[in-house]
Amino acid sequence: MKKNLRRRIHTFLQSEEGKTGVKAPLVLTVGIGSFLLTQIMFTSPVSASDNCTLVCDEGEECVVWCTKRNSGGTCISSNSACVPS
């Protein structure tokens, strides 16, 4: 029975229905996963300009820091200030 099931799956994957029905969503999933992985790898977790509502003078930059975190470690409240650069 197991051998027969494997043969049926193999036959389905080789058919036209199997190629469009299984492989197309798989390619889409791999593409989306690759994009998300790239975003995680190349996006800075902390940026000096994130959520900065202040307009700083010349020679200053806005710095943002976390003031309160939830139990999972995610920042839920932040503060910002202009500091000399």
Side-chain angles (χ1 to χ4, degrees):
M1 175 143 170
K2 190 175 184 181
K3 201 174 207 180
N4 188 22
L5 183 60
R6 285 183 182 173
R7 186 178 317 123
R8 286 184 180 190
I9 292 171
H10 179 73
T11 303
F12 174 73
L13 291 176
Q14 297 302 318
S15 70
E16 191 63 35
E17 294 89 9
K19 288 179 183 177
T20 57
V22 175
K23 294 180 183 177
L26 181 62
V27 169
L28 182 61
T29 303
V30 169
I32 291 171
S34 298
F35 173 75
L36 292 176
L37 183 60
T38 302
Q39 290 296 319
I40 290 169
M41 290 174 55
F42 295 109
T43 302
S44 175
V46 177
S47 175
S49 63
D50 284 349
N51 301 321
C52 197
T53 58
L54 302 173
V55 178
C56 300
D57 293 331
E58 189 174 324
E60 293 182 329
E61 63 181 319
C62 186
V63 177
V64 179
W65 64 92
C66 185
T67 56
K68 187 175 181 182
R69 295 185 183 272
N70 65 10
S71 60
T74 303
C75 186
I76 57 174
S77 178
S78 62
N79 204 351
S80 59
C82 291
V83 297
S85 54

